[in-house]
Amino acid sequence: MSSNTTVLMNKSMAGAIDQARMKFSNIVNSRSYTRFNQSQNPDGESSRVEVKLAADGEEEMDGTELGPVQHDTYTRSSRSMPWNRWKILVWVCGVLVIFCVGLLIGYSVHHKSESAPCPTAVSAIQEVPLNYPPSLDWSDLVTLLNDKLSSKAIEKKLGELSQSDRKAGSFLDNKLADDIHDNFTQLNMDPWVDEHFVKLQFPDRSKPNKVLFGSTNIGSPNGFLAYSETGRKEGRVVYANYGQLSDLETVKNGTYRLSLNGSVVLMRAGKISMAQKVMNAAKMGAIAALIYPDPADYRNLSKNTDLYGHVHLGSGDPYTPGFPSFNHTQFPPAKSSGLPGILAQTITANMAQAIFKKMGGDDAPDRFKGDFPSYKLGREGDNVTVVVNNNLADTKIHNVFGVIKGYVDPDRYVVIGAQRDSLSLGYAKSTVGTTLLLELARVFTELKKSGFRPKRSIVFASWTAGDFGNVGVTEWLEGYWASLDRKAFTYISLDGVVTGAGSFRASASPLLHTLLQKTLGKVKSPGSKLSLLQSYGGVLPPLLKTMQMDDGAYPFLAMSGIPSVSFSFVSPPVKYFGPILDDKAHLDSLTNKKVVELSVLAAQVAGQMALRLVHDHILRLDVTKYSDVITNHVNAIIQHVDALKNNNVIKTESLSTKWLNAAKSSYSRAAASLNTDIGNTDLNDMEMCRIINNRIMKVEQNFLSPYVSLRDVPFRHIFLGDGWQTTTDLEKYLGDVHENKTSFDIDQVLNKFALLTWTIQGCANDLAGDIWSLDNEI
């Protein structure tokens, strides 16, 4: 038989086999999007029967999964009357007989042609799996995760990474980045590197910064505050406690009536970030700020301990606000609005005490006092000179990534990240987190080898320049923010996950509260039958705190609208970790040498949250939690408005909260409707699951105000962000009017009401689904 004849016969048989396989596949995999009974409604349509909704706490079962579906349209299939069971069986058997006969003929023809060499011979037919391999069930998966987490591996890696400091952009920082890249390569995680060219500020060791009281040299501190203005300024020193706005107003507008224009404000560390303190002082007209650790707040610190930080009230490179610091970008010189524009410097407790000894004026209020013998507010003639000689350096930085790709929706991913840089050893701040990042990458790779088939992808990210205000994180977000909201659905931060023992603190998007609570309820405390949640009180709310701007997860949440979570084992009261003290010895003393044990627990918490997010058919993001958040803020605004009307504040009669309240109700209905849709959905229907997940993923992003500029107001989130667009800003303004601290501007309030209303209503509309599902009440 000629080779051409052989090829034609093979092709013919392959076509017949493909047709048979296609018919068989259609029968076996035929499915509908909803379940119906056979009774007819008066209009002739089948009546719908709801699929059982899994109870809270029940685990979703992994059935056989279909391949990824990229389209986002949903068309309910029509159904004819059900086939007779015997007819279906006969049809299936007939197709199988045809398939087997065709396979035997094809094999016979192919076998006869093997002896004759044929360069165009068709290779043997290979079965292509219709479904991706089934994953392990949830309980087995969690058990495997816990078994594969190795305390010995964590202890070894902690020792390796704690040997040296890693200033952002330095040789050691870049070497660690290379090591992480190599590690991801060995794990077959397809690693890549993201480069940025940013401006970082460091002290000039040849011209040290210094502080003088009159002509007396107070000292030249080693600590510094990045992004301070440079130069030399002299002014009257005024003590302002923690530098909160209430503290500054007490000094300026209270009994003391001290002018802060042209002053040097002395503040103690704590309560709020250093950047907030400096910005508050700048708003009051100060020309310089000094920050020190008071022994009353930091009893574990030596009085000669230096503090480090930055003054950028924002995140990322402050000289490329709102856009990424890529080398190829060409922009005119710019500065972030979060730069205070005044000199700022940290000093030691001993230096602060030396200043207090020389200060006169009124005694400070009792709430301003710490452990020094004397606290004065300052008097005319108490002049302090501040000299800052920091250098601004163009620095190349690297973020490193690796990925474990999903099998159903590989283009959707949860990001697990950790800062690796530090101004010194950074044991608690970055070493522990980087260690757990590498350990979790190893464990998830091992899980995959053991049969784990994640539906979605997991991206592991190592950031740098975190000590300068989450620079590495923010530059990456700015570079890819246009697509991240449609792909990244959660960020889990590993920064500072162990800073003590005895208590637990977490900051998270409300969408993640339920998942966090359930995870803490599953992770067991060492040597106890109690879960972590039970060990720390049994309920989540007391463990939660508002996410702060210096949190590594904050840019994801407030700038990019990606649900985020950070958490930490802490020692009550929370201790300060400056770079000088952030080493193994101090963390061991605070945890009673349980760093490794607590690190394993932290890895279990982060790992189980990530597993749940990539394992289940429907994303475990609880949209109903925002109903409570919206209700609380709207009720607070209504109370403020009612108080103003009761006080007969002029023009408030035209102020109505009707539409804001209606938007609140729209969101609650949309969230409840989504849960109903989930309950009525066949979870094996991958297309419908993807559509529902799309609705869930957009919630956080839709709370970013569309009415403000990303460049001018980077943290646009109306509930968790920072700026005039937030609900808290409106509440504070109305409260200040009520207390006669400011005048009432009806146009400003009406504008804010309108923008808040339509931001909430827009989120509700998107959550509700298709345009015909909207209630149209507003």
Side-chain angles (χ1 to χ4, degrees):
M1 183 182 295
S2 69
S3 59
N4 289 337
T5 303
T6 301
V7 172
L8 290 173
M9 290 185 66
N10 280 336
K11 288 184 177 179
S12 176
M13 292 311 304
I17 292 171
D18 285 342
Q19 281 189 336
R21 186 186 297 123
M22 184 178 299
K23 290 182 179 179
F24 179 73
S25 173
N26 288 338
I27 293 172
V28 173
N29 291 292
S30 63
R31 54 188 168 84
S32 62
Y33 298 107
T34 53
R35 298 180 183 174
F36 295 83
N37 64 23
Q38 300 310 314
S39 61
Q40 297 294 315
N41 288 330
D43 59 3
E45 292 183 356
S46 298
S47 61
R48 179 173 177 177
V49 178
E50 291 186 355
V51 178
K52 176 183 177 294
L53 174 62
D56 214 18
E58 288 184 345
E59 313 301 350
E60 291 182 342
M61 298 300 293
D62 262 346
T64 304
E65 303 294 349
L66 296 174
V69 180
Q70 300 300 331
H71 48 289
D72 289 342
T73 58
Y74 166 61
T75 304
R76 186 171 66 190
S77 62
S78 61
R79 290 186 53 151
S80 59
M81 293 299 291
W83 279 30
N84 180 280
R85 183 181 304 173
W86 292 106
K87 288 183 179 180
I88 295 176
L89 183 59
V90 170
W91 176 259
V92 171
C93 292
V95 171
L96 287 174
V97 170
I98 295 173
F99 176 81
C100 294
V101 171
L103 187 62
L104 289 174
I105 295 174
Y107 173 78
S108 176
V109 173
H110 178 67
H111 181 70
K112 290 179 180 179
S113 62
E114 278 183 345
S115 57
C118 178
T120 59
V122 179
S123 60
I125 298 174
Q126 296 182 354
E127 288 290 334
V128 179
L130 296 172
N131 305 314
Y132 85 95
S135 180
L136 301 170
D137 66 50
W138 177 249
S139 58
D140 289 342
L141 197 53
V142 172
T143 299
L144 268 177
L145 171 72
N146 295 339
D147 289 344
K148 290 183 179 297
L149 284 170
S150 170
S151 57
K152 290 184 178 179
I154 290 175
E155 184 174 17
K156 179 182 178 182
K157 186 60 67 175
L158 283 172
E160 293 174 356
L161 298 182
S162 62
Q163 300 303 316
S164 59
D165 60 354
R166 299 175 299 277
K167 294 181 178 63
S170 67
F171 169 80
L172 292 175
D173 175 44
N174 293 334
K175 182 179 184 302
L176 179 56
D178 290 342
D179 292 342
I180 293 173
H181 188 279
D182 291 344
N183 189 286
F184 288 166
T185 300
Q186 293 171 6
L187 296 174
N188 296 316
M189 293 174 63
D190 298 328
W192 71 97
V193 174
D194 186 56
E195 292 184 352
H196 294 276
F197 294 78
V198 299
K199 292 184 182 297
L200 304 180
Q201 197 181 59
F202 298 95
D204 186 340
R205 297 306 178 189
S206 64
K207 296 187 294 182
N209 301 337
K210 59 183 177 180
V211 177
L212 300 91
F213 191 104
S215 59
T216 303
N217 184 20
I218 297 299
S220 297
N222 292 318
F224 74 103
L225 291 172
Y227 303 122
S228 163
E229 284 293 302
T230 58
R232 180 188 184 103
K233 294 290 184 180
E234 179 180 358
R236 173 186 176 180
V237 63
V238 177
Y239 174 53
N241 200 24
Y242 291 106
Q244 300 176 102
L245 283 175
S246 59
D247 297 330
L248 292 163
E249 288 170 354
T250 296
V251 173
K252 182 178 181 180
N253 301 320
T255 306
Y256 307 101
R257 299 285 178 178
L258 298 180
S259 174
L260 295 178
N261 285 326
S263 67
V264 176
V265 180
L266 177 63
M267 300 169 281
R268 53 176 171 168
K271 301 291 185 183
I272 58 177
S273 71
M274 294 184 182
Q276 288 173 298
K277 296 175 190 291
V278 179
M279 181 62 78
N280 289 344
K283 288 179 179 178
M284 293 291 180
I287 59 173
L290 297 175
I291 301 174
Y292 76 97
D294 196 288
D297 302 311
Y298 306 103
R299 301 189 184 279
N300 60 319
L301 293 188
S302 161
K303 288 187 176 182
N304 288 317
T305 300
D306 288 290
L307 302 185
Y308 296 76
H310 66 89
V311 302
H312 181 207
L313 193 59
S315 65
D317 184 349
Y319 296 94
T320 56
F323 50 86
S325 300
F326 289 133
N327 190 35
H328 58 77
T329 55
Q330 298 294 325
F331 292 100
K335 282 188 179 182
S336 167
S337 58
L339 289 177
I342 65 173
L343 301 188
Q345 177 63 48
T346 58
I347 59 175
T348 66
N350 276 338
M351 294 178 188
Q353 186 171 4
I355 293 175
F356 277 121
K357 285 181 179 179
K358 295 178 175 294
M359 288 176 64
D362 295 324
D363 285 334
D366 289 341
R367 67 185 181 89
F368 280 33
K369 294 180 180 179
D371 280 359
F372 293 146
S374 172
Y375 286 86
K376 300 289 187 179
L377 293 179
R379 64 190 171 193
E380 292 291 343
D382 288 345
N383 288 344
V384 165
T385 301
V386 180
V387 181
V388 177
N389 295 316
N390 299 341
N391 289 326
L392 199 62
D394 291 314
T395 308
K396 183 179 180 180
I397 62 172
H398 304 81
N399 297 321
V400 183
F401 305 87
V403 62
I404 293 177
K405 295 178 182 177
Y407 284 78
V408 177
D409 290 326
D411 60 329
R412 307 295 173 83
Y413 41 86
V414 56
V415 182
I416 303 176
Q419 169 188 335
R420 71 172 183 273
D421 71 296
S422 176
L423 290 169
S424 64
L425 295 178
Y427 191 72
K429 189 169 186 179
S430 61
T431 297
V432 174
T434 299
T435 295
L436 296 189
L437 181 75
L438 295 173
E439 176 66 4
L440 285 171
R442 181 191 67 80
V443 168
F444 273 83
T445 303
E446 291 296 320
L447 288 178
K448 190 175 178 182
K449 292 178 181 178
S450 300
F452 172 45
R453 298 295 180 262
K455 292 179 176 64
R456 304 165 198 94
S457 301
I458 309 172
V459 173
F460 294 85
S462 173
W463 316 109
T464 191
D467 272 355
F468 293 85
N470 298 318
V471 173
V473 173
T474 306
E475 296 307 311
W476 184 69
L477 290 172
E478 288 176 342
Y480 305 100
W481 72 269
S483 61
L484 283 173
D485 67 292
R486 298 189 297 272
K487 296 179 180 179
F489 57 86
T490 297
Y491 178 66
I492 300 174
S493 173
L494 299 177
D495 294 341
V497 289
V498 179
T499 59
S503 189
F504 184 90
R505 292 289 181 272
S507 300
S509 161
L511 296 176
L512 289 165
H513 286 179
T514 300
L515 176 59
L516 178 61
Q517 177 170 305
K518 289 183 179 298
T519 302
L520 294 177
K522 297 294 184 182
V523 177
K524 298 297 182 182
S525 296
S528 171
K529 294 182 179 180
L530 299 177
S531 68
L532 287 180
L533 187 64
Q534 292 170 327
S535 299
Y536 298 128
V539 291
L540 184 65
L543 306 180
L544 294 173
K545 65 175 184 176
T546 303
M547 190 176 292
Q548 301 298 311
M549 195 177 293
D550 55 356
D551 193 312
Y554 189 78
F556 274 89
L557 179 60
M559 187 179 79
S560 296
I562 298 170
S564 305
V565 59
S566 62
F567 62 90
S568 180
F569 292 94
V570 299
S571 293
V574 179
K575 304 294 184 181
Y576 175 79
F577 273 95
I580 299 300
L581 283 187
D582 193 0
D583 57 20
K584 183 178 185 301
H586 283 88
L587 190 56
D588 280 342
S589 68
L590 286 176
T591 62
N592 196 23
K593 296 186 177 181
K594 293 182 178 179
V595 175
V596 174
E597 180 180 290
L598 293 171
S599 296
V600 173
L601 290 177
Q604 289 181 11
V605 172
Q608 287 193 32
M609 290 186 72
L611 276 180
R612 180 55 86 189
L613 289 166
V614 300
H615 171 272
D616 291 355
H617 298 280
I618 301 298
L619 291 176
R620 287 296 183 103
L621 300 175
D622 190 351
V623 297
T624 63
K625 288 298 182 181
Y626 260 118
S627 297
D628 296 335
V629 174
I630 297 171
T631 298
N632 291 337
H633 283 290
V634 170
N635 288 346
I637 291 171
I638 291 174
Q639 290 176 5
H640 285 302
V641 171
D642 289 344
L644 294 179
K645 289 183 177 181
N646 291 337
N647 288 348
N648 297 317
V649 175
I650 189 172
K651 295 184 179 181
T652 55
E653 65 276 359
S654 63
L655 194 57
S656 173
T657 57
K658 173 183 177 181
W659 304 115
L660 187 60
N661 200 43
K664 174 201 73 175
S665 299
S666 292
Y667 182 87
S668 296
R669 287 193 299 273
S673 175
L674 177 70
N675 281 347
T676 300
D677 289 347
I678 294 173
N680 293 336
T681 298
D682 179 0
L683 296 182
N684 288 317
D685 180 352
M686 290 295 99
E687 181 179 4
M688 193 60 188
C689 287
R690 185 176 175 93
I691 292 171
I692 289 176
N693 287 334
N694 284 347
R695 292 163 65 183
I696 295 173
M697 285 177 61
K698 293 179 181 178
V699 170
E700 200 81 75
Q701 201 273 338
N702 283 334
F703 283 133
L704 301 181
S705 174
Y707 307 108
V708 295
S709 164
L710 176 63
R711 178 169 177 173
D712 297 330
V713 185
F715 304 122
R716 298 177 292 152
H717 203 293
I718 62 172
F719 300 118
L720 305 171
D722 181 76
W724 66 266
Q725 82 288 352
T726 62
T727 53
T728 51
D729 185 82
L730 176 57
E731 292 165 29
K732 182 181 183 304
Y733 175 77
L734 295 175
D736 288 344
V737 172
H738 179 63
E739 297 174 6
N740 295 319
K741 292 182 179 179
T742 187
S743 59
F744 183 68
D745 184 342
I746 183 63
D747 291 336
Q748 176 183 344
V749 174
L750 288 175
N751 186 54
K752 288 189 175 184
F753 266 47
L755 301 188
L756 279 176
T757 297
W758 284 109
T759 302
I760 297 171
Q761 184 63 42
C763 182
N765 290 347
D766 205 9
L767 182 60
D770 296 314
I771 193 70
W772 48 85
S773 300
L774 307 183
D775 54 44
N776 296 318
E777 289 194 4
I778 290 190

